[in-house]
Amino acid sequence: MFARFWRWLRGLFGATPEALPAPHAHSSPGSARPKQGAARARTSREGTSPPTLTSRERTAGFRTRKPARWPCDEQRLDHLGLPVWRTETDLAQALDLTQKQLRFFATHRPVDRFHHYLQFAVPKARGGERILCAPKRQLKAVQRQLVRELVRRLPVSEYAHGFRQGRSVATNAAPHVGKAVVIRLDLADFFGTVTFPRVRGLLASCGYGHAVASSLALLATEAHRQPLDIDGVVHFAAMGPRHCVQGAPTSPGLCNAIARRLDHRLAGLGRSLGFAYTRYADDMVFSGDALDEISRLLGGARNIVANEGFRLNDDKTRIMRAGGRQQVTGVTVNQVLGLSRKERRKLRAALHQQGLARKEGKGDARNDARIQGKLAWLQMLNADQAAALHPQSAQAVQSEPA
């Protein structure tokens, strides 16, 4: 053991064993380690022996290092068109908060007596539950202000169509119309994968200093918490890392910004193999005519997704060829953008039934609104398909008399 330690010490100082001070016979290897900071003794090129290390210097290497801190990069913030917040005081003023209020919202406590979110579960369409965390009124107001001031200005790839002004499921599906094959991939736990360190790292790369980036990341993330009764008082214990939660106004924009490099890499992969690429939230779609490149595309996409810190939900991977129904985010893309023939027939039948009901004085305002919503949806996707249903819709669905 002493021989191994002696070799380690010699490699550290770059000196011969004779040039190093001999350790005490009863010293342990750990207590004889030299300090690993700026004050570490070094042997000069001329062969001068290093000074004997003190007890404090020997144990310094075992201490926990302080987290790295970085300053604000105002030039980069200006280049990206982002607000310049040098300190937490600037951030608090921009959000109309006092520093005390900012710390109240932007402090992580493993066990807390107050929870800023309402946590609940909703059923999924294909079974299971989805955990939603809705911020309470005060925090939601702060997050909405943060969206207006910062999140909307973060750089996002042109391939992202979800949660963006001027983009929709229609613009996401349009590049995939009339292709020989459409491949749909799904990111598992998309929001949950975007953790506090990733959000802080994104903001730091944009130019924000350590304190401001940390406060912003704390405002936008939260951990799932479990209520505990301790001596008759309810506490909320964090059950995992902080991450972007479904229900927070800031989550969609931050996740889009963090997935920017993922989008560019996947788009580049698809382009090299003859495929178009788009993404709507966690739903990624490739389409093209190169059927013999499908396996290469899937393998490359899997590697890129893993390399970017995400993972695929294999159960939702779909390869849709032209012979069957090709659907992207609820939109049929086989020949034209719109609804499938089956869905249009169901809508036409609903219009007919509604028309008969209104003639008999049995109209239902809620059902009228539902059908009007479906017609508006079809009008957005394909005006020609909606026009084919218009004569029946004008007779069956009318505005309620004032």
Side-chain angles (χ1 to χ4, degrees):
M1 181 179 296
F2 274 99
R4 292 177 57 190
F5 168 68
W6 209 245
R7 287 196 298 269
W8 171 82
L9 197 59
R10 181 178 57 183
L12 184 65
F13 284 100
T16 61
E18 293 76 12
L20 296 176
H24 193 275
H26 301 288
S27 299
S28 64
S31 63
R33 289 189 180 180
K35 183 178 179 180
Q36 310 229 351
R40 177 193 297 171
R42 291 183 175 89
T43 301
S44 67
R45 296 181 183 272
E46 290 77 11
T48 303
S49 298
T52 304
L53 302 179
T54 65
S55 168
R56 184 174 180 178
E57 289 172 330
R58 289 175 181 144
T59 58
F62 297 99
R63 294 176 184 170
T64 303
R65 293 182 178 180
K66 294 182 179 179
R69 295 180 179 271
W70 56 90
C72 174
D73 188 346
E74 297 183 28
Q75 185 176 0
R76 177 151 182 81
L77 290 173
D78 288 335
H79 175 72
L80 295 175
L82 300 177
V84 178
W85 296 326
R86 302 175 186 84
T87 64
E88 290 177 290
T89 302
D90 295 340
L91 176 59
Q93 291 176 352
L95 298 178
D96 299 322
L97 299 173
T98 64
Q99 283 195 326
K100 183 177 180 180
Q101 289 173 325
L102 177 62
R103 292 193 182 98
F104 175 65
F105 292 120
T107 299
H108 176 71
R109 301 176 182 86
V111 179
D112 201 348
R113 292 181 59 181
F114 185 84
H115 194 15
H116 293 293
Y117 290 79
L118 296 175
Q119 187 170 301
F120 54 94
V122 296
K124 293 183 179 180
R126 299 183 179 182
E129 291 184 337
R130 188 187 309 278
I131 303 298
L132 300 182
C133 293
K136 294 181 180 178
R137 180 176 56 86
Q138 290 181 318
L139 179 58
K140 181 180 287 187
V142 173
Q143 290 179 340
R144 285 175 173 169
Q145 180 73 5
L146 199 57
V147 170
R148 291 189 292 268
E149 297 289 337
L150 172 65
V151 177
R152 286 179 180 173
R153 304 181 186 182
L154 291 173
V156 178
S157 78
E158 64 271 26
Y159 306 103
H161 292 262
F163 319 113
R164 296 185 63 190
Q165 190 172 5
R167 302 290 182 95
S168 65
V169 293
T171 62
N172 180 65
H176 308 294
V177 174
K179 300 297 179 66
V181 63
V182 176
I183 302 172
R184 191 170 68 218
L185 306 176
D186 184 84
L187 294 174
D189 194 18
F190 181 44
F191 284 5
T193 309
V194 181
T195 57
F196 166 81
R198 300 185 72 173
V199 176
R200 185 172 64 174
L202 167 71
L203 298 171
S205 68
C206 291
Y208 288 108
H210 177 272
V212 174
S214 298
S215 295
L216 289 170
L218 286 168
L219 286 173
T221 60
E222 176 59 306
H224 290 308
R225 292 184 178 269
Q226 180 70 32
L228 301 174
D229 190 328
I230 303 177
D231 296 332
V233 180
V234 177
H235 294 71
F236 298 91
M239 303 303 292
R242 294 182 73 96
H243 59 272
C244 288
V245 296
Q246 296 191 51
T250 50
S251 293
L254 287 173
C255 291
N256 269 344
I258 287 178
R260 180 169 176 258
R261 190 170 68 173
L262 171 72
D263 289 336
H264 283 291
R265 293 185 65 184
L266 289 176
L269 171 68
R271 189 163 51 248
S272 68
L273 299 176
F275 288 84
Y277 167 79
T278 61
R279 180 180 60 82
Y280 192 97
D282 58 356
D283 197 356
M284 304 179 300
V285 182
F286 293 91
S287 65
D289 300 321
L291 299 179
D292 55 339
E293 299 288 358
I294 293 177
S295 60
R296 289 182 61 192
L297 177 70
L298 291 175
R302 179 177 299 278
N303 291 336
I304 291 174
V305 168
N307 186 255
E308 290 297 324
F310 297 95
R311 58 188 178 88
L312 292 177
N313 185 348
D314 294 328
D315 293 337
K316 293 187 177 181
T317 298
R318 297 289 184 272
I319 300 176
M320 300 167 284
R321 302 179 187 272
R325 184 174 66 172
Q326 296 174 323
Q327 199 169 44
V328 176
T329 53
V331 182
T332 301
V333 295
N334 284 73
Q335 296 178 347
V336 296
L337 202 68
L339 296 181
S340 65
R341 186 175 303 169
K342 179 179 179 181
E343 290 170 322
R344 296 200 306 274
R345 285 174 177 172
K346 290 174 63 176
L347 181 55
R348 183 179 289 110
L351 288 167
H352 177 71
Q353 293 297 326
Q354 185 65 15
L356 295 178
R358 291 185 66 82
K359 287 181 180 179
E360 299 175 0
K362 300 178 180 180
D364 184 351
R366 179 175 296 180
N367 197 36
D368 286 353
R370 181 179 62 84
I371 295 177
Q372 285 284 17
K374 288 187 175 181
L375 288 173
W377 164 254
L378 181 57
Q379 177 69 30
M380 181 191 72
L381 298 177
N382 191 315
D384 293 337
Q385 290 183 356
L389 298 176
H390 180 71
Q392 290 187 0
S393 65
Q395 297 175 9
V397 182
Q398 301 175 359
S399 300
E400 289 292 331

